[in-house]
Amino acid sequence: MNRMIDVAIVGAGPYGLSLAAHLRGSGLAVRVFGRPMALWRTAMPAGMQLKSQPYASNLSDPAGAATLAAYCAHRGEPYVPYGRPVRLADFVAYGGWFQHTQVPDVAETLVRRIGPVGNRFELALDDRETLLARRVVVAVGVEHFDRIPPLLADLPDTLVTHSSAHTDLSRFAGTDLTVLGGGQAALETAALAAEAGATVRVVVRAPRVVWNGDPLRARRSLRVRLREPEAPLGSGWTTLLYSTRPDLLHRLPARRRARIARTALGPAGAYWLRPRVEGRLPVLTDHELVGVEPGADSVRLTLRDGSGPVRITTDHVIAATGFRPELSRLAFLDERLAADIATLDGAPAVDHAFQSSVPGLYFTGPVVANSFGPVMRFVHGCDFAARRIARHLTGTVPAGRPLARAAG
């Protein structure tokens, strides 16, 4: 007989670990599946820095005590809450400390399949164990959702890779490298690769590269603060709304929420990255990829700008073209189960408690940005999501109306 648990959390990144921390001590039988902070360890390049401010880069525990500041104090290291970027290595170490202190019993195994069994869920694990769960929370981050332009999608990885495929960009030293994209991932990938010895160009479809502004001054008049308030994900009243009130965004019409998720807080480079790119790397703005001719050890790209076609031969292309959450790419969901999940613009649609149209099946993290806004793409969204889901799972939040099957 398969063992029964109350809650299975699929994913051990910031969202999964935060929820597990909030459910610890609740009396529920909870298991977390996944390799802690795996995406951060294996899909981001050495030397990377977080775009979010340190004070907005915390995982969440009920007491609000296991913060990045607390980790730095534990290590005897300086902590600056604003204006100094967090290094990837430090954030990964912080995530490991959080997991060790708040969620010490992570099952470092992967879920191969989730299927329905009556009003329960059967989980098949990669160690051949199977178990039943009354509730399942999918918190897999973006690792299933990398997006490569269709023209490049069928080329071998010797010629084309996604930016999430690299932890060590020094492998491109001495090669000609083309990076596609105009956001933080593209610009930082290009800078790191160039600093490691590659000859790099950046191709941007947009007419210009957008750069985030410098940190706000510590001392500002009340009038200036009212005109441009500081927000965890930037500055300004709209950004403050996105950062702090995902519950309000959830009340908007579904299509409007999906549009906000697509367009708000769009591609932009961090202020501290700008001096490492501008004047140092060729950036071809307003250039669209329209043709590809692969060779044995290089690829010829045809780009289109306002004056006509531009052709470039390069050794390798890195597509730093982001991620697009889609339910269909979660291959571990049984087909019968997936067919019953309502979607919004291809991603799972969830209610006010992050529950999908399948009772007992929840989603959290970037995959629900269409439902709760762009904050779900950032670590800062962990706290709201973990508290809301934990309260619902422990019965302290009333159930809302069930989602319709076809949300769009």
Side-chain angles (χ1 to χ4, degrees):
M1 180 180 296
N2 294 337
R3 190 159 64 89
M4 176 74 75
I5 61 174
D6 293 312
V7 182
I9 300 174
V10 182
Y15 279 84
L17 293 176
S18 294
L19 175 59
H22 280 265
L23 292 176
R24 191 179 180 191
S26 66
L28 297 174
V30 180
R31 287 187 68 180
V32 185
F33 301 98
R35 300 186 178 97
M37 302 295 289
L39 184 71
W40 295 85
R41 297 176 188 275
T42 65
M44 299 184 190
M48 192 192 99
Q49 299 182 119
L50 271 65
K51 193 177 179 184
S52 55
Q53 295 288 348
Y55 83 92
S57 301
N58 299 307
L59 278 69
S60 178
D61 66 287
T67 61
L68 180 59
Y71 167 73
C72 291
H74 168 73
R75 295 278 299 175
E77 298 173 351
Y79 170 76
V80 179
Y82 184 80
R84 191 172 82 175
V86 180
R87 297 184 307 171
L88 173 64
D90 293 335
F91 183 72
V92 169
Y94 160 59
W97 173 80
F98 182 98
Q99 183 263 314
H100 179 73
T101 58
Q102 304 298 314
V103 195
D105 52 353
V106 174
E108 294 197 32
T109 187
L110 302 181
V111 174
R112 290 191 295 105
R113 179 184 163 278
I114 302 173
V117 179
N119 61 350
R120 302 288 186 257
F121 303 92
E122 182 181 65
L123 282 76
L125 310 180
D126 65 0
D127 63 1
R128 298 179 182 273
E129 180 186 4
T130 60
L131 53 84
L132 293 176
R134 294 182 174 88
R135 303 289 184 267
V136 172
V137 183
V138 177
V140 294
V142 297
E143 62 185 294
H144 297 272
F145 306 126
D146 55 291
R147 179 181 175 276
I148 293 180
L151 285 172
L152 300 172
D154 295 329
L155 270 61
D157 58 14
T158 54
L159 297 178
V160 176
T161 50
H162 191 266
S163 55
S164 62
H166 303 290
T167 57
D168 182 7
L169 291 165
S170 65
R171 61 168 282 197
F172 295 108
T175 67
D176 185 280
L177 181 66
T178 298
V179 179
L180 300 183
Q184 176 72 5
L187 299 168
E188 191 170 16
T189 294
L192 289 169
E195 290 161 2
T199 299
V200 184
R201 71 183 59 80
V202 184
V203 176
V204 184
R205 185 171 56 181
R208 66 185 183 93
V209 172
V210 176
W211 294 100
N212 295 134
D214 293 340
L216 301 174
R217 296 196 311 272
R219 295 185 178 182
R220 297 186 299 147
S221 68
L222 177 60
R223 181 179 178 181
V224 172
R225 290 176 185 272
L226 288 175
R227 188 168 65 242
E228 186 183 9
E230 180 185 324
L233 302 182
S235 64
W237 286 105
T238 303
T239 304
L240 184 64
L241 171 67
Y242 295 156
S243 303
T244 60
R245 296 306 304 268
D247 55 325
L248 294 183
L249 263 71
H250 189 267
R251 299 177 186 178
L252 295 175
R255 286 299 176 190
R256 187 175 177 187
R257 283 187 274 123
R259 185 171 65 254
I260 289 173
R262 275 197 313 272
T263 60
L265 305 183
Y271 69 94
W272 46 261
L273 182 61
R274 193 169 187 170
R276 295 163 57 189
V277 175
E278 282 195 339
R280 292 178 175 267
L281 302 177
V283 179
L284 308 180
T285 55
D286 205 16
H287 280 65
E288 182 180 4
L289 178 67
V290 294
V292 175
E293 299 175 52
D297 51 10
S298 65
V299 58
R300 191 181 192 196
L301 308 177
T302 301
L303 311 173
R304 182 173 58 204
D305 68 358
S307 59
V310 177
R311 292 180 175 82
I312 294 171
T313 299
T314 188
D315 297 326
H316 194 88
V317 177
I318 293 181
T321 42
F323 302 87
R324 182 177 175 83
E326 293 180 338
L327 179 71
S328 60
R329 299 189 67 178
L330 295 178
F332 56 80
L333 294 176
D334 179 90
E335 290 182 0
R336 294 168 299 161
L337 181 61
D340 287 333
I341 300 172
T343 60
L344 175 58
D345 200 18
V350 296
D351 67 11
H352 73 294
F354 290 77
Q355 185 171 211
S356 73
S357 57
V358 175
L361 180 63
Y362 301 72
F363 292 85
T364 186
V367 74
V368 295
N370 285 347
S371 292
F372 284 99
V375 71
M376 292 296 119
R377 302 200 306 261
F378 296 83
V379 175
H380 184 66
C382 288
D383 187 68
F384 173 82
R387 292 182 187 278
R388 178 64 65 92
I389 298 171
R391 288 173 60 199
H392 193 258
L393 291 173
T394 55
T396 58
V397 171
R401 292 183 300 169
L403 288 169
R405 168 65 194 88

